[in-house]
Each structure stands twice: as structure tokens, then as C-alpha cells.
Amino acid sequence: MLQKVKQEERLRLSSESLIHSAKCMDVKCQTSDSCNETQACNDKLQPENTSMETAPSSMVLNGSCSALLRSAEACLGPANEVVTSMSSVSECTSSKPDFSILKGEICLDNLSIRELQEAFRATFGRQTSVKDKLWLKRRITMGLTNSCDVPTTSFVIKDNKVVHKEMKEEPSRLQLSQTEAGSMSTDQVTDATINNSQTLPSSPTDRTEDLQVSGKQLRKPFCEYDEKNENLQMEQFAGKRVRKPTRRYIEELSEFETRECTAKLLSSVKNSGHCQSSPKSRIRPVRDIGSQSISFSTRQDSLGGFGIQVPYVSRVRRGRPRKNFATLMKYHPSGIASNRVKKAPRIPAMQQNSEIGSRVRKARPLPMHTPQRNFVDEIGKRDAETINSDEEQDLRLEKFDAAGDNTDNNADTRPPLTGGVRRKHHRAWTLGEVLKLVDGVARYGAGRWSEIRRLAFASYSYRTSVDLKDKWRNLLRASLAQGPTDRGAKNSRKHTSIPIPAAILSRVRELAEMQSQTGIELGPSKITGRGGGIVQEKGSGFL
DNA sequence: CTTAGGG
DNA sequence: CCCTAAG
């Protein structure tokens, strides 16, 4: 299984350029009416793309609405052959024999295994001996659509997207999506595509309707539909959480325009700053303001935009809005910044610091021509001081704790206080902390990080639950890596950090095993005595 | 806000 | 550590 996956991954990578080129052109075509850009893009891609790439180009280039629809119809036929598109486009010498099968729209359903294999080879430039029809179909589709979201049911590849067969029966919808695509910008298009292929299969009513329609009109009724449907559902529910492509991923698909945004971002940021004095923001804790105001800023940006159609998504700040926002507030004397600093006891101060750090980090790549730069520096200094005192407090605490807890070398983990390109304090985990963490996991079970944090890490104001989780993951990794064989008490690498005693690692491993194996699930409320007692497990169903 | 996971 | 989708 694993092998398979890996192989798939490799294949996917190998076809990267192909996909990319296709996508690029696809996008361009949809965004702009003029094909100049498309052509340019195409030209640019030509050198690096030789044989295989020709097909997708044709697919895209012939992407007029009607053509697509027509070819869509054609696919309904019993044809065991794939429909070759209208091929009104022959500029690209797209007559590679292998790819006749991949042109225009593709109905993999009707292909024999051999044909699928051929298609596979055409797509990935590799031979395959896989006989699994479904696998082939999905692989090819994934390759062509650059998406892992390929349903197990019937689908059709059109224009580099996965389209449900049934959907073709619904011209209105198709057209709608087409027109939308026309007016949408890159990110949105991508997004829509993804959603399309994702939400569609999971919507039962939709599918049923479609089925009815297609049942009448398709020559070959879907006898196996029920099975397929079940499979699909199985697929949906199987595994862990399913994540759709992150926003970042989507953003990265459209690297262009980022530049243009930069300047605007800065200016828009100012605007958002002015909204700060709203009563709400005063009352509410800083954290909450963030999300609101960020949407503010982006929206303002789009309203006051300079006419450059920048996709909404790509404008959204990458980081947590809160941080950015809080940081920005400081640029405005009228802001709450000063208040907050005063009021804030200790923890908030730290948060602030971290915010600074991250802000600096994020902002760095941006051109800082604006007068804001000065502010940045000032703030940087001021905060450096804050950090300093703050860290000393924590350090003391830490030492104390660690000392009481066990032998702890507790190297001064503070990085040199250089002008803060630093993000959150990087605090190396002390042995004491690790112990506490392990302990907490033993008590409350892995996964209940917030609880562990509250109860076992009460004295550490830093170390969020996420931190705990991360650390646990690392510990686990380490313990596993060190190997079940007990050797290697010293760790293999001459790490700069504290070598984690094998004892702890083995304990981690133990815990991990217990947690993953035993199905014991106790009431979430009670805390049983730890140590020799029964250890609470998290629901094993997760793993 | 919490968790889980990928980066 | 960070980031962010799912809950």
C-alpha cells in the first residue's frame, strides 16, 4: 500500500511540468479574453515541454464553450474509444498517437485496461503494469487534473478538471460554471474547481437526481451504481480528517500578482488601522479583533482597489490575522496598543512580543518603502527590552521548576537578542517540561492537550496546547526512531539540544503504544491515579 | 477555541 | 514553531 502511494507520488511529481503548463494556460485562458497571454505562456513553455505537453495545450486552447459542450455530448456515446475533440486546434502538433486518447475530453470509464495503461503512459511518460482499472483511472485523472480529489465513480476529465458524467446532462449548470470561470480570477477558479470535484460527489441528492437523468439518457445504465456509491461513501468516511487544499496551496498556484498586491497591502493596512478606534475593538480582547479587521482591510482594499483585479484569496494575509492586526495597531497612536501594554500583565506581553517577531518575519520580504519602517525599528527595540525582562522571569521559573522536577541542565536557551527576526521565543524544551508532558499524557491521554496544558503546565505560561502536541509528536518520533531496541541512550546526532534520555523515550514509546492499542476509554471527567494505575487512553478509534 | 496534521 | 482546516 505504502509503496503504491509513494509510487503515485513520484508519478505525480514527474508530471508536474505538464500539469503546470496546462494549468497555466488554462487559467490564462479563462481570465483573459485575449489569447496573447496564453500564447506567450505557451511559447514560454514550449522549450521545456516536448512531447507530452502538447496534448494539454490543445485541450485548453480549444476551450470554447460550445466546443466543450459538443465534445461532452460525444462522450456519451458507447464509443469504446475516447472522443477526440473538435481539434479545431492543431497548432500544437497534438497528433501524438499516444495522446489522441487524452485530447479534449476523456471518458476513462469506457476504456479497457490496456487502453488505460496506454493513457497512463501518455500521461506520465512511464510504463505501468498495473491492471487495476480503477487505479489507472484515478491515477490518470489525478495526473491530468493535478488533483487528488478524484472520485471513484464515473467522471470525465474535461479541461483539466474532473467533471461528473452526470453533470453534463445539465447544461445550465455547466454554462454557469463556465461563465463564472470567465469572470473569476485565478484563485477562485482553482478553488471552484476543487470544490466542484469535491462537493459534488458527496452530495447525495444531487447525485441521485443526476443519476436519474443520466439513467435515461445514457446508453449504458449504471448497473453498478449502488456499489460504486457505497464505495464512494466508504472512501469519504475512511481515514482521518480530510483536508481540502489549504489556502496557502491555492495561493501558491498563483504566484503572480503577489507583487502588485504588496504595495496595496501596506496602504490598505493603514486604512484598517483607522477602524481601530471603534468601540468594539476597545472592549474586546485583541485576539478577537483580528479576524474582523483583517476582513476589513481586505475588503477595503478591494473596494478602494486600483482596478487591478486581484483575487480575494491571494490578498488575504498568510499568517494569522490577529497577529498582523495587533501589530499594525501599533502604528497608530490612537490605537489601543498603549492601553494594552499597560494593562497586560505578563502573558499578553509575551504574546505581543511574539507578534512582533512574527510580524517582522512576515514583513521582511515586503518592500518597506513606507514611513512605517521607522516605527518598526523603534518597536523592535522596545520590544526587545520587554522580551528580555520577560524571559528572565520565565527563565527563573523554569529553573525552579526543572530543579524540583529532576536533573536539568537547562541550558540557557535564549537565542542572542539580536534585532528580532525571531518569532515566538524559541524555548528549547527542558527535561522537566518533557517529563511533565509525558506525565500529562500518561494522566490525561494524548490528544487532550489543552487539559494537559492547564493541569500539568500551569506554571508555564508559554507552551500552548499546540506546543505540547508538537512536542509530543517529536518525542514520539524520537522514541520510535531510536528504535525499540534499547540501545543508543545517547542520541545519534550531536544535536545542539539536550539529548533526551532513553528512559523518557522508552516511556514515551510505551505510552504511545498503550494509547494506540487499548480501546479503553474512560469517562472524560475523572482522573485516575497515575503511575501504576490504569492510564487513561484517548479513544483508540482515532488511530 | 481545540485538535490534528502538514510544513 | 507556524499555519490552517475541521470540528
Side-chain angles (χ1 to χ4, degrees), chain A residues 360-507:
Chain A
V360 170
R361 185 178 53 126
K362 302 267 157 142
R364 211 179 7 171
L366 305 184
M368 306 269 282
H369 303 317
T370 45
Q372 295 180 358
R373 171 164 205 147
N374 295 331
F375 288 101
V376 170
D377 289 340
E378 279 184 22
I379 292 170
K381 284 177 194 162
R382 191 187 57 189
D383 268 284
E385 293 175 6
T386 326
I387 290 175
N388 202 359
S389 61
D390 200 35
E391 279 200 345
E392 278 186 2
Q393 271 193 31
D394 284 333
L395 189 63
R396 258 180 279 138
L397 226 171
E398 199 170 90
K399 266 180 179 164
F400 173 79
D401 231 318
D405 218 337
N406 80 39
T407 61
D408 188 53
N409 41 10
N410 186 15
D412 182 3
T413 60
R414 286 178 299 174
L417 285 174
T418 59
V421 189
R422 208 177 32 193
R423 27 193 195 184
K424 180 182 175 180
H425 304 167
H426 180 274
R427 314 191 91 102
W429 278 69
T430 66
L431 253 187
E433 286 175 301
V434 171
L435 275 187
K436 287 205 169 181
L437 174 59
V438 172
D439 208 76
V441 170
R443 282 199 221 189
Y444 315 114
R448 326 198 9 170
W449 305 118
S450 67
E451 206 153 325
I452 296 177
R453 183 190 115 94
R454 266 207 319 276
L455 301 175
F457 276 72
S459 36
Y460 303 101
S461 45
Y462 46 96
R463 301 305 182 211
T464 69
S465 53
V466 174
D467 290 330
L468 299 192
K469 184 259 303 175
D470 284 340
K471 183 57 180 177
W472 179 254
R473 184 171 48 177
N474 287 336
L475 281 178
L476 220 54
R477 224 175 264 163
S479 69
L480 256 52
Q482 197 186 36
T485 60
D486 238 358
R487 77 185 190 289
K490 307 292 179 182
N491 54 5
S492 41
R493 303 189 277 186
K494 39 263 168 184
H495 237 217
T496 357
S497 63
I498 319 152
I500 297 169
I504 295 184
L505 288 186
S506 59
R507 181 148 181 228

Side-chain angles (χ1 to χ4, degrees), chain A residues 215-512:
Chain A
K216 282 178 188 172
Q217 305 192 4
L218 288 180
R219 291 214 192 163
K220 183 181 172 185
F222 287 70
C223 316
E224 305 165 314
Y225 192 85
D226 282 346
E227 283 180 15
K228 287 182 178 177
N229 197 9
E230 277 181 20
N231 283 342
L232 180 66
Q233 284 187 1
M234 294 287 288
E235 187 178 78
Q236 299 274 330
F237 285 104
K240 317 167 189 176
R241 287 186 187 176
V242 191
R243 296 184 59 146
K244 46 185 190 183
T246 67
R247 191 173 272 169
R248 189 197 298 178
Y249 172 75
I250 295 174
E251 278 178 48
E252 281 167 358
L253 290 183
S254 64
E255 280 295 302
F256 47 90
E257 291 181 320
T258 331
R259 294 266 165 88
E260 291 114 302
C261 296
T262 307
K264 290 172 64 178
L265 261 177
L266 285 179
S267 65
S268 73
V269 138
K270 279 185 188 170
N271 289 340
S272 74
H274 288 300
C275 307
Q276 287 310 291
S277 33
S278 80
K280 207 172 183 183
S281 57
R282 282 207 188 197
I283 300 171
R284 300 186 65 175
V286 194
R287 288 183 146 238
D288 295 338
I289 303 174
S291 56
Q292 275 195 359
S293 65
I294 196 61
S295 58
F296 247 153
S297 75
T298 44
R299 197 171 306 152
Q300 278 192 2
D301 194 15
S302 61
L303 287 182
F306 303 130
I308 306 178
Q309 288 289 340
V310 183
Y312 181 84
V313 191
S314 73
R315 252 183 238 188
V316 175
R317 191 183 157 277
R318 281 198 169 186
R320 284 191 255 269
R322 159 175 67 91
K323 291 183 182 178
N324 190 27
F325 188 77
T327 302
L328 293 168
M329 284 171 36
K330 296 182 182 146
Y331 295 137
H332 299 273
S334 62
I336 337 165
S338 55
N339 284 343
R340 196 162 50 98
V341 172
K342 255 193 173 181
K343 270 195 263 175
R346 195 164 137 246
I347 300 175
M350 284 185 47
Q351 284 177 353
Q352 202 182 47
N353 290 335
S354 57
E355 283 161 13
I356 284 285
S358 69
R359 193 248 308 135
V360 170
R361 185 178 53 126
K362 302 267 157 142
R364 211 179 7 171
L366 305 184
M368 306 269 282
H369 303 317
T370 45
Q372 295 180 358
R373 171 164 205 147
N374 295 331
F375 288 101
V376 170
D377 289 340
E378 279 184 22
I379 292 170
K381 284 177 194 162
R382 191 187 57 189
D383 268 284
E385 293 175 6
T386 326
I387 290 175
N388 202 359
S389 61
D390 200 35
E391 279 200 345
E392 278 186 2
Q393 271 193 31
D394 284 333
L395 189 63
R396 258 180 279 138
L397 226 171
E398 199 170 90
K399 266 180 179 164
F400 173 79
D401 231 318
D405 218 337
N406 80 39
T407 61
D408 188 53
N409 41 10
N410 186 15
D412 182 3
T413 60
R414 286 178 299 174
L417 285 174
T418 59
V421 189
R422 208 177 32 193
R423 27 193 195 184
K424 180 182 175 180
H425 304 167
H426 180 274
R427 314 191 91 102
W429 278 69
T430 66
L431 253 187
E433 286 175 301
V434 171
L435 275 187
K436 287 205 169 181
L437 174 59
V438 172
D439 208 76
V441 170
R443 282 199 221 189
Y444 315 114
R448 326 198 9 170
W449 305 118
S450 67
E451 206 153 325
I452 296 177
R453 183 190 115 94
R454 266 207 319 276
L455 301 175
F457 276 72
S459 36
Y460 303 101
S461 45
Y462 46 96
R463 301 305 182 211
T464 69
S465 53
V466 174
D467 290 330
L468 299 192
K469 184 259 303 175
D470 284 340
K471 183 57 180 177
W472 179 254
R473 184 171 48 177
N474 287 336
L475 281 178
L476 220 54
R477 224 175 264 163
S479 69
L480 256 52
Q482 197 186 36
T485 60
D486 238 358
R487 77 185 190 289
K490 307 292 179 182
N491 54 5
S492 41
R493 303 189 277 186
K494 39 263 168 184
H495 237 217
T496 357
S497 63
I498 319 152
I500 297 169
I504 295 184
L505 288 186
S506 59
R507 181 148 181 228
V508 167
R509 199 162 51 239
E510 257 179 50
L511 281 174

Side-chain angles (χ1 to χ4, degrees), chain A residues 55 58-59 82-85 87 94 99-106:
Chain A
S58 70
M59 286 168 60
V82 179
V83 185
T84 48
S85 68
S87 72
S94 54
F99 250 114
S100 65
I101 214 167
L102 294 175
K103 269 196 294 182
E105 185 177 313
I106 302 160

Side-chain angles (χ1 to χ4, degrees), chain A residues 58-326:
Chain A
S58 70
M59 286 168 60
V60 175
L61 287 176
N62 78 355
S64 83
C65 233
S66 52
L68 281 176
L69 284 172
R70 256 175 287 144
S71 59
E73 286 168 10
C75 194
L76 291 177
N80 206 15
E81 285 291 332
V82 179
V83 185
T84 48
S85 68
M86 301 283 96
S87 72
S88 55
V89 191
S90 43
E91 306 136 42
C92 293
T93 65
S94 54
S95 44
K96 268 276 186 188
D98 283 344
F99 250 114
S100 65
I101 214 167
L102 294 175
K103 269 196 294 182
E105 185 177 313
I106 302 160
C107 260
L108 297 174
D109 280 334
N110 298 331
L111 296 183
S112 69
I113 291 180
R114 196 180 310 139
E115 285 164 327
L116 282 173
Q117 286 180 342
E118 197 180 347
F120 182 96
R121 187 165 61 85
T123 308
F124 297 106
R126 289 172 51 111
Q127 199 74 40
T128 180
S129 56
V130 179
K131 300 248 168 59
D132 185 346
K133 210 167 175 181
L134 185 59
W135 184 87
L136 285 168
K137 266 160 52 182
R138 298 193 74 207
R139 270 320 306 168
I140 295 169
T141 309
M142 287 177 191
L144 290 179
T145 59
N146 193 22
S147 162
C148 293
D149 252 341
V150 178
T152 43
T153 51
S154 328
F155 52 82
V156 152
I157 305 171
K158 182 192 305 177
D159 211 14
N160 285 333
K161 296 173 200 166
V162 177
V163 175
H164 264 260
K165 222 174 191 174
E166 294 84 353
M167 226 182 107
K168 293 192 311 261
E169 305 299 333
E170 220 176 80
S172 61
R173 205 144 134 209
L174 194 66
Q175 273 191 341
L176 180 65
S177 71
Q178 292 263 348
T179 46
E180 273 176 2
S183 61
M184 274 192 303
S185 41
T186 320
D187 286 334
Q188 287 165 319
V189 169
T190 314
D191 207 3
T193 307
I194 288 158
N195 280 341
N196 210 20
S197 55
Q198 200 171 49
T199 58
L200 240 131
S202 61
S203 145
T205 51
D206 231 17
R207 293 168 48 87
T208 329
E209 279 181 30
D210 286 346
L211 176 61
Q212 285 171 355
V213 178
S214 63
K216 282 178 188 172
Q217 305 192 4
L218 288 180
R219 291 214 192 163
K220 183 181 172 185
F222 287 70
C223 316
E224 305 165 314
Y225 192 85
D226 282 346
E227 283 180 15
K228 287 182 178 177
N229 197 9
E230 277 181 20
N231 283 342
L232 180 66
Q233 284 187 1
M234 294 287 288
E235 187 178 78
Q236 299 274 330
F237 285 104
K240 317 167 189 176
R241 287 186 187 176
V242 191
R243 296 184 59 146
K244 46 185 190 183
T246 67
R247 191 173 272 169
R248 189 197 298 178
Y249 172 75
I250 295 174
E251 278 178 48
E252 281 167 358
L253 290 183
S254 64
E255 280 295 302
F256 47 90
E257 291 181 320
T258 331
R259 294 266 165 88
E260 291 114 302
C261 296
T262 307
K264 290 172 64 178
L265 261 177
L266 285 179
S267 65
S268 73
V269 138
K270 279 185 188 170
N271 289 340
S272 74
H274 288 300
C275 307
Q276 287 310 291
S277 33
S278 80
K280 207 172 183 183
S281 57
R282 282 207 188 197
I283 300 171
R284 300 186 65 175
V286 194
R287 288 183 146 238
D288 295 338
I289 303 174
S291 56
Q292 275 195 359
S293 65
I294 196 61
S295 58
F296 247 153
S297 75
T298 44
R299 197 171 306 152
Q300 278 192 2
D301 194 15
S302 61
L303 287 182
F306 303 130
I308 306 178
Q309 288 289 340
V310 183
Y312 181 84
V313 191
S314 73
R315 252 183 238 188
V316 175
R317 191 183 157 277
R318 281 198 169 186
R320 284 191 255 269
R322 159 175 67 91
K323 291 183 182 178
N324 190 27
F325 188 77

